[in-house]
Each structure stands twice: as C-alpha cells, then as structure tokens.
Amino acid sequence: MLRELRPLFAYMRRYRWGYLWGSLCVIATNAVWVLFPKVLQQAIDALNHGVTRRRVLFFAGILIAIALIKGVFLYAQRWILIGISREIEFDLRNDLFRHLEKQDTGFYQRYRTGDIMARLTNDLNAVRMLLGPAIMYSANTLMFTVGALFFLLRISPYLTLVALAPAPIASIVIQYLGRKIRRR
C-alpha cells in the first residue's frame, strides 16, 4: 500500500510543518478530551460524599473549559489538515493539467475527454480525502483509543480486557458480513 502512495509523499513533504502542527493539534485534542470522564468521575464521587454548590459549579466550569479547549484544538486540526489536503489537491490538479497540456492530439483521440475529466475531479477528490480527513480521523481514533486505554487499564485491567474481548470477534464478523453485503 505504501508503494502505491509513494508519489504522494513528495507533495506531503512540502507541507510537513503543517502536518506536524496538525498532528500536535490531534494529540492536544485527545489529551484534553480524554480528561472529561475523569473529571466527571470526580464530580460524581464528590456528589456521593456531600458537596457544596460552589464545588459543583467548579466541576461544571472544568467540564466546560475542557469542552472549549477541545473545540479550539479540533477546529485548528481540521483547519490545518483539511487545508493541507486542499492545497495538495490544488498542486496535483495543476501538475496533472500541465502534463495534459504536453500531450499530443493522438492522446486525446485514444482517451475520451469524459474519462480524463473524471480523473481530474473524482480521483483527485479521493486523494484529497485520503490526505486530509482520512489521516485526521485515523489519527484521532488512534490517539483517543490509546488515551482511553490508559485510563481504563488504570481503573480496572480485568474489566478493560472483558470489554475489549469481543473486538476481534466483531471485526471478523463485520468483514464476513461486509463481503456478503457487497456481493449482493
């Protein structure tokens, strides 16, 4: 798979600093958001032991602050990573257009204009989705899973393993059913 994506690495290298900042925003988003249940746990524990109204407002303020900070980093990561993917799409489109301008008339007789236009639109859109949202959502999922597992294992390793035990079976069943659905 990486061999097939190798031509895109040159384009990605041009925006490596943007990818770095986007990655830092992904890490910050998930580092902050994974704290939300921990603060909620402390608030619920405080309610069980009798708590003042001021303390409840304190916990509410922390939860709101966490949500706001997460929102800022989430906005930044989307702005950066999706923006980079659009820049790369623009660069690819220009390079492809320059390449098409160099072709002789025989090229345009062999290949239909509609096929060329489809590649200029649909295929480049798919590349943009891969280099922006796909990377962003994959990184978010990975980072949040690692953060959640850290807290889950600290709370109860046994319950964490029990909760994750069905995951391999579920993935096998999903792949099996997915193939059947695609065939139908």
Side-chain angles (χ1 to χ4, degrees), residues 15 28 31 42-43 64 79 94 99 121 135 143 150 155 159 171 173:
Y15 300 97
Q42 291 175 354
I64 290 170
W79 186 73
N94 286 333
H99 178 73
T121 55
I135 289 175
M143 293 305 301
F150 172 76
I155 293 169
L159 285 178
S171 78
V173 169

Side-chain angles (χ1 to χ4, degrees), residues 132-165:
I135 289 175
M136 181 181 66
Y137 292 131
S138 298
N140 264 323
T141 301
L142 180 68
M143 293 305 301
F144 190 75
T145 301
V146 168
L149 279 174
F150 172 76
F151 281 113
L152 288 171
L153 287 170
R154 287 187 63 204
I155 293 169
S156 172
Y158 175 74
L159 285 178
T160 302
L161 292 175
V162 168
L164 294 177

Side-chain angles (χ1 to χ4, degrees), residues 66-80:
I66 288 173
L68 288 173
I69 293 168
K70 180 210 178 211
V72 167
F73 282 120
L74 186 62
Y75 175 80
Q77 82 181 23
R78 287 181 179 177
W79 186 73
I80 293 168

Side-chain angles (χ1 to χ4, degrees), residues 90-103:
F90 181 77
D91 295 345
L92 281 167
R93 196 175 303 278
N94 286 333
D95 290 349
L96 186 55
F97 184 73
R98 267 188 238 106
H99 178 73
L100 289 173
E101 283 182 319
K102 294 176 186 173
Q103 300 303 314

Side-chain angles (χ1 to χ4, degrees), residues 10-175:
Y11 291 95
M12 293 174 73
R13 217 172 289 118
R14 292 181 201 168
Y15 300 97
R16 65 181 165 265
W17 293 109
Y19 274 119
L20 175 69
W21 284 108
S23 299
L24 291 174
C25 287
V26 167
I27 292 167
T29 299
N30 290 292
V32 169
W33 194 239
V34 83
L35 295 175
F36 195 91
K38 194 69 176 160
V39 173
L40 200 56
Q41 174 197 14
Q42 291 175 354
I44 291 170
D45 288 347
L47 286 173
N48 288 333
H49 300 295
V51 67
T52 64
R53 179 180 175 156
R54 184 174 179 195
R55 189 83 172 146
V56 170
L57 291 174
F58 172 75
F59 283 121
I62 290 176
L63 292 175
I64 290 170
I66 288 173
L68 288 173
I69 293 168
K70 180 210 178 211
V72 167
F73 282 120
L74 186 62
Y75 175 80
Q77 82 181 23
R78 287 181 179 177
W79 186 73
I80 293 168
L81 294 175
I82 291 174
I84 288 171
S85 70
R86 292 198 181 278
E87 293 289 330
I88 291 174
E89 178 189 28
F90 181 77
D91 295 345
L92 281 167
R93 196 175 303 278
N94 286 333
D95 290 349
L96 186 55
F97 184 73
R98 267 188 238 106
H99 178 73
L100 289 173
E101 283 182 319
K102 294 176 186 173
Q103 300 303 314
D104 60 353
T105 55
F107 175 82
Y108 293 103
Q109 290 172 352
R110 284 190 308 273
Y111 299 100
R112 297 184 318 196
T113 305
D115 291 340
I116 296 170
M117 292 302 294
R119 296 212 185 271
L120 284 170
T121 55
N122 300 338
D123 292 359
L124 285 179
N125 186 48
V127 169
R128 177 183 58 81
M129 295 298 281
L130 171 73
L131 296 178
I135 289 175
M136 181 181 66
Y137 292 131
S138 298
N140 264 323
T141 301
L142 180 68
M143 293 305 301
F144 190 75
T145 301
V146 168
L149 279 174
F150 172 76
F151 281 113
L152 288 171
L153 287 170
R154 287 187 63 204
I155 293 169
S156 172
Y158 175 74
L159 285 178
T160 302
L161 292 175
V162 168
L164 294 177
I169 296 166
S171 78
I172 292 168
V173 169
I174 289 169
Q175 285 202 352

